[in-house]
Amino acid sequence: MDLEQHWNTAGDVLNKLPVELLNAIARLCSLSELSSLILSSRRLHEILTTLLYTSIKLYDYGTARTCVRTLSTDPASLSLKRDLSSLIRSFTMNFSHWGLPPFRKTKLARRLERALGRMSGLQHVALTATYFGTSAIFAALVRAAGPTLRSLEFKAEGGDKDADVFAGLLPNLVFPELVSINFPLLGVQPPWIGPFRHILSSRAANVRCLKFDWWEALSLLIEDIDAWPCLEELTLGGKGVPFGERTLGGKIAAFSEFPPAPNLHSLTLLCIPDGDEWPQSIIVARDVFPNLEVLACPYQLLPAFLPDGEHGQRPIRTVRLNQAYYDEDGGEGDFERDVQPEWEDLCEALACIPRSAGPIVDLSFFVNWFDCGDLGDDAVLWSRTLERLAIVVYQDPGRIHAMKDWGQDFFAHTPRLHTFLLSDAPLKASDSSLSFLFADEVRKQHAWLGKWEEHTSALKKVAFSSEFMWQKTESGWGRRKMNASEEDDDDDDDDEEEDGDNSDEADDDIESEGSVAFEQE
């Protein structure tokens, strides 16, 4: 059989497969493979195009320009006369475009408005690219996707005409399915107060996830809300104590002016201290978030949620301090850039961990530096219940040779700890080639693991940096290389077309939906 006959036979078999099996095969393909598969036959084109457009993620201008141009095209000019925008269920657009000529932004914004205006089945949208949070784009989104939208992330921007647009939009501003709201704002400009307040008030009884980068902005929008009965996740940034009110004793009661959220189980606070008394003077009443299970906050706030001498403590089980994070799959880490907590201060705050009714089993924190010889003595009081511990360190720990004794000094006192992770993310943030001095000392690490397991049988995963992870199997300790995703070095799509073109006539210059050239990240 020659090559042409082979491919013809393979094509015939593929075209005879049932739709369900074709969809299963397509879900295993990369985006580029799926695009090629769609172009291989008319039947596959008709069946799989929906899958190709279900989720769109745009993280650079060139990709966004090509994709949005296709989505905004009149369906009558496409090969199958299909409205591609109506196929989208999830749409994300987030990128910076410094130096981009104004007319390019204007043209992309006009096309985006047209495309969003036809996304009638959209369920999830995250539109945070600067310049595109206009009232016209928001109005197009509301009119098309309001009835189906379940999660909304929108970075609003002001404009002289916003008030006029919203005056006619407010009566029809309805999101019957919306349960997740994220407004990444540093402030709310007057034209947006009415629409955002209307959205929050109308969905207060149903919203499950709420995120504001600046809690002061949120305070302007919730004056008419009495409670959040279904709220489960809350993320707030800003300066000072969130929704705080000074008590008669001079303390600041955090969240005393926040509507009750009895079912909240996850709270993330990205707040900035305001004054020297900020940590010491804060209290959180026992009836505030009584069912809290996951807490991410600056280390100074942890004792306020687990106060000394109180009965019926919150059932907190996961704690993440100062944005500390370790990705066990890729090795990537995160941490708070503005503050480097000292080890002594952290240990003082962590002393409240045994008070949790959880108990706390998952702990991540960021520290400037610590002495390896002090880990056992300092951590024994707060580490007994832990099952997972991640420590993100700003610089190389001291007395590295003391790690060999962690088995008897530390792990012997943590009988449930199965995952222990050290992250060098701060070093790599300044220079990707940097790491801990001991990061590549494989034999030394293996010897340490051998000594540790003499004192614990629970330990299964260990990382000494973000380079690789040790995993214990029946045959012993083995290494797994981290699969951190590589940066996309591709340049933006070429800009030869429309350099001097800012006309509407060029907007519909598109070939077919089979010619889509965009990437999901």
Side-chain angles (χ1 to χ4, degrees):
M1 180 183 295
D2 59 26
L3 185 60
E4 183 177 356
Q5 289 177 318
H6 170 77
W7 284 114
N8 287 337
T9 302
D12 290 340
V13 172
L14 196 59
N15 277 314
K16 291 177 181 179
L17 292 177
V19 173
E20 294 79 7
L21 187 54
L22 287 174
N23 277 311
I25 294 172
R27 288 189 177 91
L28 299 176
C29 296
S30 65
L31 187 63
S32 59
E33 291 169 342
L34 179 57
S35 300
S36 299
L37 188 61
I38 286 173
L39 294 175
S40 64
S41 78
R42 185 178 185 85
R43 179 171 181 258
L44 294 179
H45 196 299
E46 293 175 350
I47 294 172
L48 301 181
T49 295
T50 299
L51 186 61
L52 179 65
Y53 284 89
T54 296
S55 179
I56 304 295
K57 298 180 181 180
L58 309 173
Y59 295 119
D60 63 80
Y61 164 73
T63 310
R65 186 197 65 195
T66 305
C67 177
V68 173
R69 182 180 59 183
T70 300
L71 296 174
S72 64
T73 300
D74 182 357
S77 66
L78 300 178
S79 61
L80 296 181
K81 317 299 181 186
R82 192 184 312 201
D83 189 350
L84 300 176
S85 291
S86 66
L87 303 177
I88 299 174
R89 296 297 175 263
S90 177
F91 183 81
T92 298
M93 191 166 107
N94 181 18
F95 57 86
S96 349
H97 42 70
W98 302 112
L100 196 65
F103 83 87
R104 291 191 183 280
K105 302 177 187 177
T106 302
K107 190 163 191 177
L108 180 56
R110 186 172 62 247
R111 287 174 169 172
L112 180 63
E113 180 184 344
R114 279 207 302 270
L116 286 170
R118 295 208 303 269
M119 294 186 189
S120 55
L122 192 63
Q123 297 177 357
H124 310 280
V125 62
L127 187 54
T128 54
T130 307
Y131 186 82
F132 299 101
T134 66
S135 57
I137 288 176
F138 187 73
L141 173 65
V142 169
R143 294 189 181 105
T148 59
L149 205 61
R150 295 186 59 80
S151 68
L152 169 64
E153 182 178 357
F154 191 86
K155 184 178 181 181
E157 299 173 28
D160 296 334
K161 299 180 180 180
D162 286 339
D164 296 335
V165 172
F166 290 137
L169 181 64
L170 274 177
N172 300 315
L173 200 61
V174 179
F175 295 90
E177 301 294 327
L178 190 62
V179 295
S180 178
I181 300 173
N182 180 359
F183 292 141
L185 308 173
L186 295 183
V188 180
Q189 300 189 42
W192 292 93
I193 291 179
F196 287 173
R197 180 180 290 167
H198 177 84
I199 293 173
L200 289 169
S201 298
S202 64
R203 298 302 299 164
N206 308 93
V207 68
R208 297 179 182 175
C209 181
L210 186 63
K211 181 176 181 179
F212 264 75
D213 286 355
W214 207 252
W215 69 264
E216 292 95 328
L218 178 60
S219 66
L220 299 174
L221 307 176
I222 61 173
E223 296 174 354
D224 301 328
I225 297 175
D226 297 323
W228 307 93
C230 295
L231 188 63
E232 298 175 353
E233 299 178 23
L234 176 64
T235 300
L236 295 174
K239 187 176 182 180
V241 182
F243 299 94
E245 182 181 37
R246 181 114 14 209
T247 67
L248 293 177
K251 298 286 188 177
I252 302 177
F255 294 100
S256 58
E257 299 181 347
F258 187 76
N263 293 308
L264 190 84
H265 68 76
S266 178
L267 175 64
T268 299
L269 299 176
L270 308 174
C271 302
I272 303 170
D274 184 13
D276 296 336
E277 296 183 357
W278 184 67
Q280 294 81 9
S281 63
I282 296 175
I283 60 174
V284 181
R286 181 64 191 89
D287 58 352
V288 174
F289 314 141
N291 296 305
L292 190 64
E293 297 180 359
V294 179
L295 175 62
C297 66
Y299 74 91
Q300 302 99 320
L301 290 183
L302 181 61
F305 287 90
L306 295 171
D308 189 16
E310 284 201 16
H311 297 289
Q313 295 279 6
R314 296 173 179 85
I316 299 174
R317 295 180 60 82
T318 299
V319 172
R320 179 186 172 200
L321 302 178
N322 296 89
Q323 304 176 44
Y325 172 73
Y326 191 110
D327 176 16
E328 294 183 28
D329 293 324
E332 297 178 354
D334 198 8
F335 59 97
E336 185 177 1
R337 265 64 175 177
D338 299 326
V339 178
Q340 290 88 43
E342 297 300 328
W343 178 255
E344 294 78 9
D345 296 331
L346 266 172
C347 288
E348 183 179 349
L350 293 172
C352 69
I353 281 183
R355 302 173 196 159
S356 173
I360 292 175
V361 297
D362 190 343
L363 173 64
S364 302
F365 61 80
F366 170 47
V367 64
N368 178 39
W369 177 88
F370 75 97
D371 187 322
C372 292
D374 295 337
L375 179 64
D377 292 337
D378 294 339
V380 68
L381 295 178
W382 47 260
S383 59
R384 294 185 184 277
T385 63
L386 296 183
E387 298 178 8
R388 181 184 184 273
L389 175 60
I391 305 177
V392 182
V393 191
Y394 189 74
Q395 53 186 314
D396 279 275
R399 286 202 292 168
I400 296 172
H401 66 275
M403 284 190 185
K404 69 179 185 300
D405 299 322
W406 278 0
Q408 60 191 35
D409 295 342
F410 177 66
F411 293 109
H413 305 286
T414 56
R416 301 169 60 182
L417 190 69
H418 57 71
T419 301
F420 178 78
L421 310 168
L422 288 177
S423 172
D424 51 9
L427 289 172
K428 291 192 175 299
S430 59
D431 186 338
S432 60
S433 65
L434 295 179
S435 187
F436 292 144
L437 296 176
F438 53 87
D440 295 325
E441 296 186 13
V442 177
R443 291 186 177 180
K444 181 178 291 186
Q445 293 176 18
H446 192 267
W448 290 341
L449 292 172
K451 287 183 174 293
W452 296 355
E453 65 180 353
E454 294 176 4
H455 303 274
T456 177
S457 59
L459 203 58
K460 303 299 180 185
K461 290 183 181 180
V462 174
F464 293 93
S465 70
S466 59
E467 299 295 326
F468 55 85
M469 179 178 291
W470 290 92
Q471 289 185 300
K472 188 177 182 180
T473 64
E474 294 180 356
S475 57
W477 289 97
R479 288 183 298 150
R480 175 175 63 82
K481 186 73 175 177
M482 293 300 188
N483 295 319
S485 58
E486 298 179 359
E487 293 184 2
D488 185 3
D489 294 326
D490 293 341
D491 295 326
D492 288 351
D493 290 1
D494 60 323
D495 283 340
E496 295 93 353
E497 63 108 358
E498 68 191 22
D499 265 7
D501 175 21
N502 197 25
S503 65
D504 286 330
E505 286 77 9
D507 283 358
D508 294 331
D509 180 18
I510 206 74
E511 296 174 4
S512 73
E513 62 263 45
S515 64
V516 173
F518 60 92
E519 283 192 37
Q520 290 171 304
E521 305 247 341

